[in-house]
Amino acid sequence: MASAAFEEIAETFDFLDDWEDRYRHVIELGKALPDMDPALKVPATKVEGCASQVWLLPRIEGTGPAARFDFEGESDAMIVEGLIAILHALYSGLTVSEVLAVDAKAELGRLGLNEHLSQQRSNGVAAMVERIRKLATEAAAG
């Protein structure tokens, strides 16, 4: 159950045979993200467990399980910024209950990221997914 935006990324990855091209595409996705307001880069929005600096700020419309999930994110590392863009494509616009149903590991596995990210980066992606799931859980209960 991936969004159309994520499916488009997956199709592009299928088209790009070379991992170097995929890596460049991830960086390009990150460059397209809007910058976060520096005032929002505070300890409350910082994601722990990432080697790079990462901030995620939820933007949730509505209440309960049907609330729509979105977030802003930024990193000080280009590749991580691209990973944030991929997660944004995966989750943005879903309801919080749909967010909780997404198998992020399987979806990201479709892109072949698991084999090409360092252990540190993989841990960072897992930390970002965990933060997103926590935010969705809180919003679903709220």
Side-chain angles (χ1 to χ4, degrees):
M1 178 190 63
S3 70
F6 184 81
E7 289 300 335
E8 189 176 310
I9 291 170
E11 286 174 21
T12 301
F13 266 64
D14 285 342
F15 177 75
L16 299 171
D17 297 327
D18 180 23
W19 177 249
E20 288 299 317
D21 291 337
R22 290 178 177 189
Y23 194 82
R24 277 191 288 278
H25 185 62
V26 171
I27 290 171
E28 289 303 315
L29 291 170
K31 287 180 180 176
L33 277 180
D35 291 337
M36 270 180 84
D37 181 335
L40 300 174
K41 295 180 190 176
V42 295
T45 60
K46 190 162 190 254
V47 178
E48 297 301 325
C50 297
S52 310
Q53 302 280 324
V54 176
W55 298 271
L56 293 180
L57 179 70
R59 298 278 187 215
I60 298 170
E61 292 179 21
T63 57
R68 288 271 163 215
F69 186 82
D70 196 1
F71 69 91
E72 284 183 61
E74 191 169 312
S75 175
D76 63 349
M78 287 191 305
I79 189 68
V80 177
E81 189 108 340
L83 296 171
I84 292 169
I86 289 171
L87 291 175
H88 190 265
L90 183 60
Y91 290 112
S92 185
L94 299 179
T95 65
V96 291
S97 59
E98 289 170 335
V99 166
L100 295 172
V102 170
D103 182 346
K105 188 172 183 135
E107 294 296 341
L108 296 173
R110 291 171 50 204
L111 304 181
L113 291 175
N114 304 343
E115 304 91 62
H116 292 94
L117 292 178
S118 68
Q119 186 60 48
Q120 230 176 359
R121 291 276 186 249
S122 293
N123 291 345
V125 169
M128 289 188 280
V129 168
E130 189 56 39
R131 170 67 71 91
I132 288 167
R133 292 182 59 78
K134 181 177 184 284
L135 295 168
T137 300
E138 289 168 359

